Amino acid sequence: MMPAHRTFLAWKNLVHDRRRLLLALGGIGFAVLLMCMQLSFQQALFDSTLALVRALNADLVITSQAKYTVVVREPFTRRRLYQALACQGVETAYPLYVETQLSILKNLDEALTAGGREPSEAAKGQPVRVLAFDPSQSVLDIPQVRQYARELQLPGTALFDVRSKETYGQVRPGSQVELAGQRVRIVGMFALGTDFSTDGNMITSDINFRAILGRPGPGNDPLASVDIGLLKLAPGQHPEQVKRRLGQLLPDDVIVMTRQEFEDQERRFWEQSTPIGYVFWLGTVMGFVVGIVICYQILYADIADHLGEFATLKAMGYQGRYFIGVVLQEAVLLSLLGFLPGVAVSQLLCMAVAAWTGLLVELKWSVVVLVLTLSVVMCVASGCLTMRKVLTADPAELF
């Protein structure tokens, strides 16, 4: 004997006790929230860290052989870029300078308004990442850099990242700041974003970099040591072929990569060589396990409350597969109903964290689909664990 409406019974079992249903949805929604936030934070780690790499306007990238991530300072001599220009297929070569150690930024406006009060962190000085290059060259694919290229060529000027953390205070066009002990005028803003090692960014010209952050280099020229070299190829040139030619031409103190290989190296470092990636995956697994436990308790309690009804149906001739279907339907319904509020709250939290930290935290569709799949699997696994209680229901329990 087969029922006409299987889903109807599963739904009735869930909604007969509204208070229990709300508690169930809250528990499953919490597990969904935990998984969404962990995966979103992991995505933000990669997207924020790779934002600079993805903004590089280059077909090939040259770095020191010892450089395994952008945040590590391992420069190479600028002569390698001149040698690369001699290679067939290379059209232009740009040097990019990156400074994170000497670049202490003090907000002079914050210091002036402090009066006799304790100066803020912005007035005391905070480390900032400085990116420097020739503004007349298309080094970074950021619209504001092209817009303010002429202003950046003036002495003592820079752009400030609008997505930097609030610890730098109010920095806007026209603000006066002190960078490494020298006064700098902010002529414009750009948008790049922070990451787990950088709280803020500035862009200046290579000439200003030499004057403000002059690092000792070969021949006492601060611009002689390059952090990242960017190569643009002539039209019709294949990056892999030019890369092989450069590998034969250049000494082994540098390595040539396509931009995708450079991005993959950066992602691999943060994912495999640091505990951060493992921590987020562990948090996701913990959310999954918490969801299984919560869903199991909900389904077990519901089955225990209706054990007499299940026994009656078994006495009427309903087979075990029907009871399995009812339990699985309840599990899927719980997963879907608990998923919706969990995702809604996750979206709000991601927006709040992105606004507060400057990280590229967003709830992507790929994360939503993955968490939906995990929530369904989570609840179905709980349903499988509770099936034994239903299948062993004895009609004699009616009496």
Side-chain angles (χ1 to χ4, degrees):
M1 179 179 179
M2 298 298 293
H5 304 286
R6 296 186 179 185
T7 306
F8 183 76
L9 179 58
W11 176 253
K12 283 292 187 182
N13 284 348
L14 288 177
V15 301
H16 84 284
D17 188 339
R18 299 296 177 85
R19 180 174 176 274
R20 176 183 291 175
L21 177 61
L22 291 176
L23 291 175
L25 299 185
I28 295 172
F30 173 75
V32 170
L33 171 65
L34 186 57
M35 290 189 290
C36 282
M37 295 308 296
Q38 292 294 323
L39 292 173
S40 295
F41 284 149
Q42 186 184 53
Q43 290 284 349
L45 163 67
F46 296 139
D47 290 343
S48 300
T49 303
L50 297 175
L52 173 59
V53 177
R54 291 169 177 170
L56 299 178
N57 183 25
D59 298 308
L60 295 175
V61 178
I62 298 180
T63 67
S64 167
Q65 185 71 249
K67 193 177 186 68
Y68 52 88
T69 179
V70 172
V71 299
V72 173
R73 184 173 180 268
E74 290 288 349
F76 63 93
T77 175
R78 189 168 178 168
R79 289 197 303 271
R80 301 292 175 258
L81 294 182
Y82 299 139
Q83 292 171 333
L85 281 172
C87 179
Q88 179 186 354
V90 177
E91 190 172 64
T92 53
Y94 309 137
L96 175 63
Y97 305 94
V98 182
E99 179 57 60
T100 58
Q101 299 174 356
L102 303 177
S103 50
I104 302 300
L105 178 68
K106 293 182 181 180
N107 191 323
L108 297 182
D109 294 338
E110 294 277 336
L112 290 175
T113 57
R117 302 190 308 271
E118 176 71 19
S120 63
E121 292 184 359
K124 292 178 180 178
Q126 297 290 313
V128 66
R129 180 170 64 184
V130 176
L131 309 173
F133 49 87
D134 185 348
S136 65
Q137 299 174 330
S138 299
V139 177
L140 295 181
D141 190 15
I142 298 177
Q144 294 85 354
V145 175
R146 294 189 293 270
Q147 179 182 349
Y148 294 104
R150 181 172 297 179
E151 288 85 346
L152 283 176
Q153 294 177 355
L154 299 176
T157 59
L159 303 180
F160 189 75
D161 188 355
V162 71
R163 293 178 178 169
S164 299
K165 291 185 178 179
E166 295 180 355
T167 53
Y168 297 101
Q170 293 294 326
V171 180
R172 57 179 66 90
S175 295
Q176 296 288 333
V177 299
E178 185 179 285
L179 181 63
Q182 300 197 40
R183 181 162 296 198
V184 174
R185 181 169 59 92
I186 303 300
V187 295
M189 310 296 284
F190 68 100
L192 182 62
T194 64
D195 55 39
F196 285 86
S197 63
T198 304
D199 291 337
N201 298 286
M202 292 181 68
I203 291 178
T204 190
S205 69
D206 51 352
I207 303 302
N208 283 322
F209 182 83
R210 171 191 284 159
I212 300 171
L213 296 164
R215 303 176 303 193
N220 293 322
D221 181 4
L223 300 183
S225 295
V226 178
D227 292 287
I228 302 174
L230 310 176
L231 305 180
K232 291 292 289 184
L233 305 184
Q237 294 292 323
H238 195 280
E240 287 293 342
Q241 295 177 352
V242 179
K243 173 188 167 183
R244 285 194 292 270
R245 289 197 289 266
L246 286 169
Q248 298 172 354
L249 176 65
L250 299 178
D252 58 4
D253 59 344
V254 294
I255 183 172
V256 182
M257 294 174 280
T258 63
R259 196 177 67 169
Q260 185 60 52
E261 289 173 342
F262 189 46
E263 180 178 327
D264 292 342
Q265 173 183 274
E266 191 70 12
R267 174 185 287 271
R268 190 163 51 248
F269 169 78
W270 289 100
E271 189 173 25
Q272 300 178 4
S273 301
T274 68
I276 297 177
Y278 297 106
V279 168
F280 288 131
W281 276 115
L282 179 60
T284 303
V285 172
M286 291 301 296
F288 183 81
V289 173
V290 167
I292 288 180
V293 173
I294 293 174
C295 190
Y296 172 80
Q297 292 176 335
I298 295 165
L299 291 174
Y300 188 89
D302 184 74
I303 291 170
D305 287 349
H306 298 89
L307 198 58
E309 289 86 343
F310 283 118
T312 301
L313 292 174
K314 182 174 288 188
M316 293 171 60
Y318 284 79
Q319 302 298 315
R321 60 186 180 182
Y322 168 67
F323 301 109
I324 293 174
V326 170
V327 174
L328 291 180
Q329 287 166 21
E330 287 191 40
V332 173
L333 285 171
L334 280 174
S335 68
L336 297 178
L337 293 174
F339 173 78
L340 296 176
V343 166
V345 175
S346 298
Q347 176 65 23
L348 295 176
L349 285 178
C350 285
M351 294 170 61
V353 172
W356 181 47
T357 64
L359 294 173
L360 302 178
V361 183
E362 58 178 323
L363 189 60
K364 295 185 176 181
W365 279 108
S366 58
V367 172
V368 172
V369 172
L370 176 58
V371 173
L372 175 60
T373 303
L374 290 175
S375 63
V376 172
V377 172
M378 171 182 76
C379 292
V380 169
S382 301
C384 293
L385 294 174
T386 59
M387 279 181 189
R388 184 174 178 275
K389 185 72 174 177
V390 180
L391 297 177
T392 57
D394 191 346
E397 296 183 22
L398 287 171
F399 308 101

